[in-house]
Amino acid sequence: MSTLTEKRRVSSILKPSQSVPDGSGTPTRNKVRFAELSIELALRDVLDNNRLTGYDELLEKLKDEDPQDMKFVEIFAEAKQAVPLMKPYFGKLVEFLLSSRWLNRSEEAQEAYKQFVVELSIVQKNYCTMTVAKLVKQFIPDRALQSSSSTVSCIPSEDQQQQMGSLHDLIIRLKNVIPMIFDVVLTQLRKNFPYYKRPSGEVAGYLYNVLRMTEYASIYCDELLDIVFYHLLQLDVNMPRSVIEETEYPDEEMMFEMTDTGEGEDGESGEESDTMKHPVAETLDWFMEIIFNYIEQTVKVDGQGDRLFKIVLNQFDAHILPAHNTDHAQFIMFYICSFKLSYAEHFISSLWKNVNNLNKSPNVRQTYLKSMLLEMSHWVHNYIQRCDSMHYNQSLKAHLVFYSVCQAIFYVVAFRANHLTSSAKNLTFLQSLQLSSIVTCQLNPLRVCLPTVATAFAGITRAYQLAYCHTILERNARRKLATVYKNNTQLPEDCLDTFFPFDPYMLKKSGKRIEPFYLQYQAHELDEESGGGGCGAETSGARGRKRYESVSEDVDDFIPESKRHKHHGVDVSGEFTFSYGVSPGFHS
């Protein structure tokens, strides 16, 4: 009798359901009857009788079949009842259940899955890590959904956002019943973040969902943005400006031809594409665009700008400021400061505190210093007075921060010359900086400044009688001649690092948000009259030009043309040119 019962049971599991004739003569598709499978009986059979036959058959069915929504509801309703029996050695069954397709099902089916997951996390806490990992991995958009959606945007479509809403709802439920589970969520978010070389849609979709979590887990906003900034930095440092330039503009002559004819690669006249040619640059572009959109929504719509600014500033200090040669990540601070003047003031004050903090490394202290002229000049004068009272080493390394602050002052004066000389009040302010005392001090800051910055500053200060720098520049040039050809590298003896954090923005889509606030270099009237690229030696009439030309002639007398040294837009013949990459805004 028991043997007959066992045979009937096996037959009911494996036998397909009978097709009901519909009059068309076409048989309907055979479907396995999942209702016959009893998860609870299979687990009890293993626990009580140590028989694995029913359990193994259950695993095969869950692995191979994709049930309809009604069957899906029945399976997970029964699984919920069997949760107390799902001991750690039934991990494979739990994994199959958690891996089931559920986001694109009916609301009833989704609710059944959610109830099972919540029950499992409460009763069997050893499955929490597996549960969270399965949920977090679904932050990456399905490739089928990506292919069916618009290829123009990597931002999730409305259908995808609706599906992801159900996933976030489940995470909210888990957080409410198990508050400490969010530590597991953060760990899994870091672990499963897509590699930066993965398709842009995967990285952008994952990022979008991580930022969405800040809406309902605001207490963990700092930790969530820490994950975002860390991976943004990975993208940025692996996509240097030089690679973007080579990929976007491989041949400058061809670029000019395309500009003249107005035709693209396909021969069609139209607007320039927003798509970056390099795949990693495209991913970085979408990454920045999604972050900018998040900042705008948080500041304008949600009214949480002050809190977000503090968090972003902390992340900037932790990740971006210590990093070397990042090209785009720092524009997050640039963008958020554009919403409120107090943000910019606080940001600059924070940078100045880093300059005065002796516990910070010199590289951190000397990088972002392009404002606060008055405080900077006071600091420089105090530094000079301290050095005058003692014997000191004039090497670049010994006074790196001092020279960097001086170059920052020279840079701001040259870059914002039109504004700083537009009125008598502004000129009085420039006179109060006592620039002449700075350039004539024994530390000689012009000696190590970038030549393009030094000459532009010299032209402005000479025209308005703020300081006379050309004699010092000529003396410095003569001193460097003895060491210019000392070795094969042909580099000057000392020169500051030419890293300017806010060089022109290279990304196309996200760059549209930066363009309205980014101040391009505008040549001063003196530069335009002289026809030079910002060379201040030609701005004071023929007398100044003769002095400058005399240096050029002396140099040309004994330096072969083939050996003339060029460094950062300057050659020893005296022709200084501005170009992007040397500094933001200075260009020919």
Side-chain angles (χ1 to χ4, degrees):
M1 187 69 177
S2 59
T3 304
L4 180 60
T5 304
E6 183 69 17
K7 288 183 179 180
R8 288 179 178 174
R9 180 179 304 171
V10 174
S11 176
S12 64
I13 294 177
L14 299 179
K15 184 177 179 180
S17 59
Q18 299 295 329
S19 301
V20 180
D22 58 359
S24 61
T26 303
T28 59
R29 183 181 178 183
N30 295 332
K31 297 179 182 179
V32 178
R33 300 188 55 154
F34 277 89
E36 300 293 338
L37 294 174
S38 176
I39 298 177
E40 183 175 0
L41 290 179
L43 297 183
R44 288 194 179 277
D45 200 21
V46 175
L47 295 173
D48 298 340
N49 305 317
N50 201 25
R51 288 190 295 190
L52 299 174
T53 304
Y55 178 73
D56 291 338
E57 292 177 355
L58 180 63
L59 293 179
E60 289 297 324
K61 296 302 177 184
L62 292 175
K63 179 180 179 181
D64 298 336
E65 299 295 335
D66 186 18
Q68 298 296 323
D69 288 355
M70 292 302 298
K71 298 299 180 184
F72 185 89
V73 172
E74 295 177 9
I75 291 172
F76 278 87
E78 186 177 359
K80 179 184 175 182
Q81 298 297 325
V83 163
L85 302 176
M86 294 180 181
K87 303 302 180 182
Y89 36 85
F90 293 129
K92 185 173 289 188
L93 171 63
V94 175
E95 182 178 3
F96 285 157
L97 291 171
L98 293 175
S99 302
S100 300
R101 179 181 62 86
W102 67 282
L103 282 176
N104 55 348
R105 295 185 180 273
S106 63
E107 294 184 3
E108 186 179 1
Q110 292 182 15
E111 183 62 27
Y113 182 89
K114 293 177 184 178
Q115 292 181 4
F116 164 73
V117 170
V118 173
E119 185 72 14
L120 178 69
S121 301
I122 295 174
V123 178
Q124 303 290 353
K125 290 184 172 56
N126 50 291
Y127 291 121
C128 283
T129 301
M130 180 192 296
T131 301
V132 173
K134 294 294 183 182
L135 297 179
V136 167
K137 287 180 180 179
Q138 295 183 65
F139 281 174
I140 300 177
D142 188 15
R143 289 188 177 182
L145 290 175
Q146 289 186 45
S147 61
S148 62
S149 61
S150 175
T151 58
V152 177
S153 175
C154 287
I155 298 178
S157 62
E158 292 185 2
D159 294 338
Q160 290 176 317
Q161 292 182 27
Q162 185 176 2
Q163 290 183 8
M164 290 297 106
S166 184
L167 177 59
H168 287 284
D169 177 67
L170 177 53
I171 296 176
I172 293 174
R173 294 190 189 185
L174 292 175
K175 185 177 71 74
N176 291 336
V177 297
I178 311 175
M180 296 302 295
I181 201 174
F182 215 84
D183 293 335
V184 182
V185 173
L186 294 173
T187 301
Q188 293 301 318
L189 286 175
R190 292 187 179 94
K191 184 177 179 181
N192 292 283
F193 207 103
Y195 186 53
Y196 73 90
K197 289 187 177 180
R198 296 295 300 169
S200 301
E202 295 185 12
V203 179
Y206 195 94
L207 170 66
Y208 181 87
N209 285 290
V210 172
L211 293 176
R212 185 171 179 175
M213 297 181 74
T214 61
E215 298 176 3
Y216 55 84
S218 58
I219 192 175
Y220 297 100
C221 186
D222 208 339
E223 289 81 356
L224 292 170
L225 290 181
D226 182 81
I227 299 173
V228 171
F229 273 77
Y230 174 81
H231 288 278
L232 170 61
L233 200 61
Q234 299 298 313
L235 266 172
D236 200 3
V237 298
N238 284 284
M239 197 67 257
R241 175 182 299 273
S242 59
V243 176
I244 297 178
E245 291 176 345
E246 292 174 1
T247 306
E248 294 295 322
Y249 313 108
D251 188 348
E252 292 187 359
E253 294 182 0
M254 182 179 296
M255 179 183 67
F256 292 136
E257 290 177 1
M258 291 171 59
T259 304
D260 294 338
T261 58
E263 295 182 356
E265 294 180 355
D266 299 332
E268 296 178 359
S269 177
E271 297 182 357
E272 183 182 358
S273 173
D274 287 341
T275 303
M276 305 294 293
K277 295 179 181 179
H278 197 290
V280 179
E282 177 71 3
T283 302
L284 177 60
D285 197 3
W286 277 114
F287 209 107
M288 295 294 294
E289 171 64 19
I290 292 175
I291 294 179
F292 288 161
N293 182 68
Y294 169 76
I295 292 175
E296 182 181 14
Q297 291 294 319
T298 304
V299 174
K300 290 186 175 181
V301 179
D302 301 335
Q304 299 291 326
D306 293 349
R307 180 173 181 270
L308 178 63
F309 173 78
K310 293 179 181 178
I311 296 175
V312 171
L313 182 60
N314 291 336
Q315 297 303 322
F316 174 86
D317 290 338
H319 292 286
I320 300 176
L321 189 59
H324 178 65
N325 274 359
T326 57
D327 294 314
H328 296 93
Q330 56 265 24
F331 277 88
I332 292 179
M333 287 303 307
F334 182 92
Y335 184 70
I336 195 171
C337 287
S338 67
F339 288 97
K340 206 172 183 180
L341 179 60
S342 60
Y343 295 164
E345 294 173 348
H346 190 83
F347 176 51
I348 296 173
S349 299
S350 174
L351 296 176
W352 187 246
K353 289 179 182 178
N354 286 327
V355 175
N356 290 287
N357 186 359
L358 297 179
N359 295 323
K360 296 285 186 179
S361 67
N363 289 334
V364 171
R365 295 170 64 197
Q366 60 104 12
T367 300
Y368 293 80
L369 302 173
K370 301 300 183 281
S371 286
M372 296 186 69
L373 280 175
L374 189 59
E375 289 192 35
M376 291 163 67
S377 64
H378 287 168
W379 185 88
V380 168
H381 287 300
N382 292 333
Y383 193 98
I384 294 173
Q385 291 176 2
R386 291 196 303 269
C387 290
D388 286 343
S389 62
M390 63 184 72
H391 296 287
Y392 51 84
N393 178 8
Q394 292 189 11
S395 67
L396 175 62
K397 291 183 179 179
H399 305 280
L400 179 60
V401 177
F402 168 79
Y403 287 130
S404 298
V405 175
C406 289
Q407 178 167 276
I409 295 174
F410 303 159
Y411 181 90
V412 175
V413 172
F415 191 89
R416 300 302 300 271
N418 286 330
H419 173 73
L420 293 174
T421 60
S422 61
S423 64
K425 181 179 180 181
N426 289 344
L427 284 173
T428 302
F429 167 75
L430 285 179
Q431 292 173 356
S432 69
L433 300 181
Q434 302 179 27
L435 298 175
S436 180
S437 299
I438 297 176
V439 300
T440 58
C441 73
Q442 294 186 21
L443 289 175
N444 192 3
L446 289 175
R447 172 175 60 91
V448 297
C449 284
L450 191 67
T452 50
V453 175
T455 52
F457 170 78
I460 298 299
T461 54
R462 180 174 182 174
Y464 292 97
Q465 300 181 6
L466 299 171
Y468 296 94
C469 308
H470 289 96
T471 303
I472 300 174
L473 292 177
E474 292 171 4
R475 183 173 68 248
N476 292 338
R478 287 194 295 268
R479 289 179 178 178
K480 289 183 179 181
L481 287 177
T483 58
V484 165
Y485 306 109
K486 184 178 180 180
N487 50 44
N488 293 331
T489 57
Q490 298 183 351
L491 290 177
E493 183 181 9
D494 285 320
C495 190
L496 283 172
D497 186 13
T498 59
F499 173 58
F500 290 87
F502 294 108
D503 267 346
Y505 199 84
M506 299 290 292
L507 306 177
K508 296 180 180 179
K509 285 178 285 292
S510 53
K512 294 178 181 179
R513 295 178 180 267
I514 297 298
E515 184 177 359
F517 311 108
Y518 188 84
L519 180 63
Q520 298 286 350
Y521 173 71
Q522 297 178 355
H524 194 272
E525 295 177 357
L526 299 172
D527 297 341
E528 294 175 350
E529 292 175 1
S530 64
C535 178
E538 300 182 8
T539 60
S540 297
R543 184 177 180 180
R545 287 197 293 272
K546 287 181 180 180
R547 173 183 294 185
Y548 191 80
E549 290 168 358
S550 65
V551 178
S552 303
E553 293 172 0
D554 293 342
V555 171
D556 291 343
D557 286 341
F558 66 90
I559 298 180
E561 184 176 358
S562 60
K563 292 185 177 180
R564 289 178 184 172
H565 169 67
K566 291 185 178 181
H567 180 64
H568 298 301
V570 58
D571 61 27
V572 292
S573 65
E575 294 179 357
F576 292 87
T577 59
F578 295 127
S579 61
Y580 283 121
V582 172
S583 64
F586 285 156
H587 60 89
S588 56

PDB file of all heavy atoms in Angstrom, residues 286-305:
ATOM      1  N   TRP A 286      28.414  59.718 -17.349  1.00  0.00           N
ATOM      2  CA  TRP A 286      27.121  59.378 -16.749  1.00  0.00           C
ATOM      3  C   TRP A 286      27.197  59.402 -15.222  1.00  0.00           C
ATOM      4  O   TRP A 286      26.244  59.809 -14.539  1.00  0.00           O
ATOM      5  CB  TRP A 286      26.657  58.002 -17.235  1.00  0.00           C
ATOM      6  CG  TRP A 286      25.985  58.047 -18.560  1.00  0.00           C
ATOM      7  CD1 TRP A 286      26.407  57.512 -19.739  1.00  0.00           C
ATOM      8  CD2 TRP A 286      24.729  58.683 -18.864  1.00  0.00           C
ATOM      9  NE1 TRP A 286      25.517  57.774 -20.746  1.00  0.00           N
ATOM     10  CE2 TRP A 286      24.479  58.486 -20.241  1.00  0.00           C
ATOM     11  CE3 TRP A 286      23.811  59.409 -18.112  1.00  0.00           C
ATOM     12  CZ2 TRP A 286      23.348  58.984 -20.869  1.00  0.00           C
ATOM     13  CZ3 TRP A 286      22.680  59.906 -18.741  1.00  0.00           C
ATOM     14  CH2 TRP A 286      22.454  59.694 -20.097  1.00  0.00           C
ATOM     15  N   PHE A 287      28.316  58.969 -14.678  1.00  0.00           N
ATOM     16  CA  PHE A 287      28.501  58.984 -13.224  1.00  0.00           C
ATOM     17  C   PHE A 287      28.362  60.415 -12.697  1.00  0.00           C
ATOM     18  O   PHE A 287      27.637  60.668 -11.716  1.00  0.00           O
ATOM     19  CB  PHE A 287      29.892  58.430 -12.899  1.00  0.00           C
ATOM     20  CG  PHE A 287      29.999  57.755 -11.561  1.00  0.00           C
ATOM     21  CD1 PHE A 287      30.103  56.382 -11.452  1.00  0.00           C
ATOM     22  CD2 PHE A 287      30.004  58.510 -10.397  1.00  0.00           C
ATOM     23  CE1 PHE A 287      30.207  55.764 -10.219  1.00  0.00           C
ATOM     24  CE2 PHE A 287      30.109  57.903  -9.152  1.00  0.00           C
ATOM     25  CZ  PHE A 287      30.216  56.529  -9.067  1.00  0.00           C
ATOM     26  N   MET A 288      29.052  61.350 -13.342  1.00  0.00           N
ATOM     27  CA  MET A 288      28.984  62.742 -12.912  1.00  0.00           C
ATOM     28  C   MET A 288      27.595  63.329 -13.140  1.00  0.00           C
ATOM     29  O   MET A 288      27.084  64.083 -12.296  1.00  0.00           O
ATOM     30  CB  MET A 288      30.029  63.558 -13.671  1.00  0.00           C
ATOM     31  CG  MET A 288      31.476  63.178 -13.378  1.00  0.00           C
ATOM     32  SD  MET A 288      31.985  63.512 -11.685  1.00  0.00           S
ATOM     33  CE  MET A 288      31.920  65.297 -11.645  1.00  0.00           C
ATOM     34  N   GLU A 289      26.962  62.985 -14.249  1.00  0.00           N
ATOM     35  CA  GLU A 289      25.628  63.512 -14.542  1.00  0.00           C
ATOM     36  C   GLU A 289      24.620  63.062 -13.490  1.00  0.00           C
ATOM     37  O   GLU A 289      23.781  63.853 -13.029  1.00  0.00           O
ATOM     38  CB  GLU A 289      25.195  63.055 -15.930  1.00  0.00           C
ATOM     39  CG  GLU A 289      23.743  63.358 -16.283  1.00  0.00           C
ATOM     40  CD  GLU A 289      23.430  64.835 -16.348  1.00  0.00           C
ATOM     41  OE1 GLU A 289      24.376  65.648 -16.482  1.00  0.00           O
ATOM     42  OE2 GLU A 289      22.245  65.188 -16.253  1.00  0.00           O
ATOM     43  N   ILE A 290      24.685  61.804 -13.083  1.00  0.00           N
ATOM     44  CA  ILE A 290      23.747  61.295 -12.075  1.00  0.00           C
ATOM     45  C   ILE A 290      23.994  61.971 -10.725  1.00  0.00           C
ATOM     46  O   ILE A 290      23.053  62.322 -10.001  1.00  0.00           O
ATOM     47  CB  ILE A 290      23.868  59.765 -11.965  1.00  0.00           C
ATOM     48  CG1 ILE A 290      23.346  59.105 -13.247  1.00  0.00           C
ATOM     49  CG2 ILE A 290      23.097  59.242 -10.764  1.00  0.00           C
ATOM     50  CD1 ILE A 290      23.539  57.605 -13.298  1.00  0.00           C
ATOM     51  N   ILE A 291      25.256  62.189 -10.371  1.00  0.00           N
ATOM     52  CA  ILE A 291      25.563  62.871  -9.109  1.00  0.00           C
ATOM     53  C   ILE A 291      25.087  64.319  -9.152  1.00  0.00           C
ATOM     54  O   ILE A 291      24.501  64.831  -8.188  1.00  0.00           O
ATOM     55  CB  ILE A 291      27.072  62.797  -8.809  1.00  0.00           C
ATOM     56  CG1 ILE A 291      27.489  61.350  -8.552  1.00  0.00           C
ATOM     57  CG2 ILE A 291      27.425  63.666  -7.606  1.00  0.00           C
ATOM     58  CD1 ILE A 291      28.968  61.179  -8.283  1.00  0.00           C
ATOM     59  N   PHE A 292      25.324  65.000 -10.264  1.00  0.00           N
ATOM     60  CA  PHE A 292      24.854  66.387 -10.396  1.00  0.00           C
ATOM     61  C   PHE A 292      23.325  66.452 -10.275  1.00  0.00           C
ATOM     62  O   PHE A 292      22.782  67.351  -9.631  1.00  0.00           O
ATOM     63  CB  PHE A 292      25.291  66.963 -11.736  1.00  0.00           C
ATOM     64  CG  PHE A 292      26.765  67.266 -11.827  1.00  0.00           C
ATOM     65  CD1 PHE A 292      27.384  67.422 -13.060  1.00  0.00           C
ATOM     66  CD2 PHE A 292      27.525  67.406 -10.685  1.00  0.00           C
ATOM     67  CE1 PHE A 292      28.736  67.712 -13.144  1.00  0.00           C
ATOM     68  CE2 PHE A 292      28.885  67.681 -10.750  1.00  0.00           C
ATOM     69  CZ  PHE A 292      29.484  67.839 -11.987  1.00  0.00           C
ATOM     70  N   ASN A 293      22.646  65.528 -10.919  1.00  0.00           N
ATOM     71  CA  ASN A 293      21.182  65.503 -10.842  1.00  0.00           C
ATOM     72  C   ASN A 293      20.723  65.242  -9.414  1.00  0.00           C
ATOM     73  O   ASN A 293      19.750  65.853  -8.936  1.00  0.00           O
ATOM     74  CB  ASN A 293      20.643  64.424 -11.781  1.00  0.00           C
ATOM     75  CG  ASN A 293      19.127  64.383 -11.789  1.00  0.00           C
ATOM     76  OD1 ASN A 293      18.459  65.291 -12.261  1.00  0.00           O
ATOM     77  ND2 ASN A 293      18.572  63.304 -11.245  1.00  0.00           N
ATOM     78  N   TYR A 294      21.417  64.355  -8.710  1.00  0.00           N
ATOM     79  CA  TYR A 294      21.083  64.073  -7.310  1.00  0.00           C
ATOM     80  C   TYR A 294      21.273  65.318  -6.444  1.00  0.00           C
ATOM     81  O   TYR A 294      20.433  65.629  -5.580  1.00  0.00           O
ATOM     82  CB  TYR A 294      21.959  62.930  -6.810  1.00  0.00           C
ATOM     83  CG  TYR A 294      21.906  62.710  -5.319  1.00  0.00           C
ATOM     84  CD1 TYR A 294      20.809  62.092  -4.722  1.00  0.00           C
ATOM     85  CD2 TYR A 294      22.952  63.125  -4.502  1.00  0.00           C
ATOM     86  CE1 TYR A 294      20.762  61.901  -3.348  1.00  0.00           C
ATOM     87  CE2 TYR A 294      22.919  62.936  -3.139  1.00  0.00           C
ATOM     88  CZ  TYR A 294      21.819  62.322  -2.566  1.00  0.00           C
ATOM     89  OH  TYR A 294      21.772  62.134  -1.206  1.00  0.00           O
ATOM     90  N   ILE A 295      22.366  66.039  -6.664  1.00  0.00           N
ATOM     91  CA  ILE A 295      22.620  67.263  -5.890  1.00  0.00           C
ATOM     92  C   ILE A 295      21.533  68.293  -6.155  1.00  0.00           C
ATOM     93  O   ILE A 295      21.006  68.923  -5.223  1.00  0.00           O
ATOM     94  CB  ILE A 295      24.008  67.825  -6.232  1.00  0.00           C
ATOM     95  CG1 ILE A 295      25.104  66.888  -5.724  1.00  0.00           C
ATOM     96  CG2 ILE A 295      24.185  69.221  -5.655  1.00  0.00           C
ATOM     97  CD1 ILE A 295      26.503  67.298  -6.126  1.00  0.00           C
ATOM     98  N   GLU A 296      21.181  68.467  -7.412  1.00  0.00           N
ATOM     99  CA  GLU A 296      20.147  69.450  -7.759  1.00  0.00           C
ATOM    100  C   GLU A 296      18.814  69.102  -7.111  1.00  0.00           C
ATOM    101  O   GLU A 296      18.132  69.985  -6.553  1.00  0.00           O
ATOM    102  CB  GLU A 296      19.998  69.517  -9.275  1.00  0.00           C
ATOM    103  CG  GLU A 296      18.968  70.544  -9.730  1.00  0.00           C
ATOM    104  CD  GLU A 296      18.803  70.579 -11.237  1.00  0.00           C
ATOM    105  OE1 GLU A 296      19.268  69.648 -11.908  1.00  0.00           O
ATOM    106  OE2 GLU A 296      18.195  71.532 -11.740  1.00  0.00           O
ATOM    107  N   GLN A 297      18.429  67.828  -7.170  1.00  0.00           N
ATOM    108  CA  GLN A 297      17.162  67.413  -6.570  1.00  0.00           C
ATOM    109  C   GLN A 297      17.177  67.605  -5.058  1.00  0.00           C
ATOM    110  O   GLN A 297      16.202  68.050  -4.460  1.00  0.00           O
ATOM    111  CB  GLN A 297      16.886  65.949  -6.913  1.00  0.00           C
ATOM    112  CG  GLN A 297      16.577  65.699  -8.374  1.00  0.00           C
ATOM    113  CD  GLN A 297      15.275  66.352  -8.805  1.00  0.00           C
ATOM    114  OE1 GLN A 297      14.280  66.342  -8.080  1.00  0.00           O
ATOM    115  NE2 GLN A 297      15.274  66.926  -9.999  1.00  0.00           N
ATOM    116  N   THR A 298      18.289  67.277  -4.433  1.00  0.00           N
ATOM    117  CA  THR A 298      18.371  67.374  -2.977  1.00  0.00           C
ATOM    118  C   THR A 298      18.348  68.825  -2.515  1.00  0.00           C
ATOM    119  O   THR A 298      17.704  69.160  -1.522  1.00  0.00           O
ATOM    120  CB  THR A 298      19.656  66.691  -2.475  1.00  0.00           C
ATOM    121  OG1 THR A 298      19.691  65.342  -2.940  1.00  0.00           O
ATOM    122  CG2 THR A 298      19.702  66.687  -0.956  1.00  0.00           C
ATOM    123  N   VAL A 299      19.030  69.698  -3.240  1.00  0.00           N
ATOM    124  CA  VAL A 299      19.124  71.101  -2.825  1.00  0.00           C
ATOM    125  C   VAL A 299      17.840  71.854  -3.142  1.00  0.00           C
ATOM    126  O   VAL A 299      17.293  72.566  -2.289  1.00  0.00           O
ATOM    127  CB  VAL A 299      20.334  71.775  -3.499  1.00  0.00           C
ATOM    128  CG1 VAL A 299      20.350  73.272  -3.191  1.00  0.00           C
ATOM    129  CG2 VAL A 299      21.629  71.121  -3.054  1.00  0.00           C
ATOM    130  N   LYS A 300      17.327  71.698  -4.369  1.00  0.00           N
ATOM    131  CA  LYS A 300      16.186  72.496  -4.813  1.00  0.00           C
ATOM    132  C   LYS A 300      14.844  71.913  -4.395  1.00  0.00           C
ATOM    133  O   LYS A 300      13.954  72.652  -3.970  1.00  0.00           O
ATOM    134  CB  LYS A 300      16.222  72.646  -6.340  1.00  0.00           C
ATOM    135  CG  LYS A 300      17.344  73.541  -6.846  1.00  0.00           C
ATOM    136  CD  LYS A 300      17.215  73.757  -8.343  1.00  0.00           C
ATOM    137  CE  LYS A 300      18.249  74.742  -8.869  1.00  0.00           C
ATOM    138  NZ  LYS A 300      18.096  74.971 -10.322  1.00  0.00           N
ATOM    139  N   VAL A 301      14.683  70.621  -4.527  1.00  0.00           N
ATOM    140  CA  VAL A 301      13.383  69.992  -4.283  1.00  0.00           C
ATOM    141  C   VAL A 301      13.219  69.586  -2.832  1.00  0.00           C
ATOM    142  O   VAL A 301      12.229  69.916  -2.172  1.00  0.00           O
ATOM    143  CB  VAL A 301      13.188  68.775  -5.220  1.00  0.00           C
ATOM    144  CG1 VAL A 301      11.838  68.111  -4.957  1.00  0.00           C
ATOM    145  CG2 VAL A 301      13.307  69.200  -6.681  1.00  0.00           C
ATOM    146  N   ASP A 302      14.193  68.863  -2.307  1.00  0.00           N
ATOM    147  CA  ASP A 302      14.068  68.321  -0.955  1.00  0.00           C
ATOM    148  C   ASP A 302      14.443  69.330   0.126  1.00  0.00           C
ATOM    149  O   ASP A 302      14.118  69.123   1.304  1.00  0.00           O
ATOM    150  CB  ASP A 302      14.932  67.067  -0.806  1.00  0.00           C
ATOM    151  CG  ASP A 302      14.531  65.981  -1.794  1.00  0.00           C
ATOM    152  OD1 ASP A 302      13.364  66.003  -2.223  1.00  0.00           O
ATOM    153  OD2 ASP A 302      15.375  65.128  -2.130  1.00  0.00           O
ATOM    154  N   GLY A 303      15.152  70.397  -0.240  1.00  0.00           N
ATOM    155  CA  GLY A 303      15.523  71.401   0.752  1.00  0.00           C
ATOM    156  C   GLY A 303      16.530  70.923   1.768  1.00  0.00           C
ATOM    157  O   GLY A 303      16.562  71.428   2.898  1.00  0.00           O
ATOM    158  N   GLN A 304      17.371  69.950   1.376  1.00  0.00           N
ATOM    159  CA  GLN A 304      18.373  69.405   2.292  1.00  0.00           C
ATOM    160  C   GLN A 304      19.781  69.811   1.871  1.00  0.00           C
ATOM    161  O   GLN A 304      20.737  69.059   2.057  1.00  0.00           O
ATOM    162  CB  GLN A 304      18.256  67.866   2.323  1.00  0.00           C
ATOM    163  CG  GLN A 304      16.925  67.352   2.813  1.00  0.00           C
ATOM    164  CD  GLN A 304      16.726  67.639   4.297  1.00  0.00           C
ATOM    165  OE1 GLN A 304      17.681  67.631   5.071  1.00  0.00           O
ATOM    166  NE2 GLN A 304      15.491  67.901   4.685  1.00  0.00           N
ATOM    167  N   GLY A 305      19.897  70.995   1.272  1.00  0.00           N
ATOM    168  CA  GLY A 305      21.175  71.408   0.719  1.00  0.00           C
ATOM    169  C   GLY A 305      22.274  71.576   1.758  1.00  0.00           C
ATOM    170  O   GLY A 305      23.418  71.169   1.536  1.00  0.00           O
TER     171      GLY A 305
END
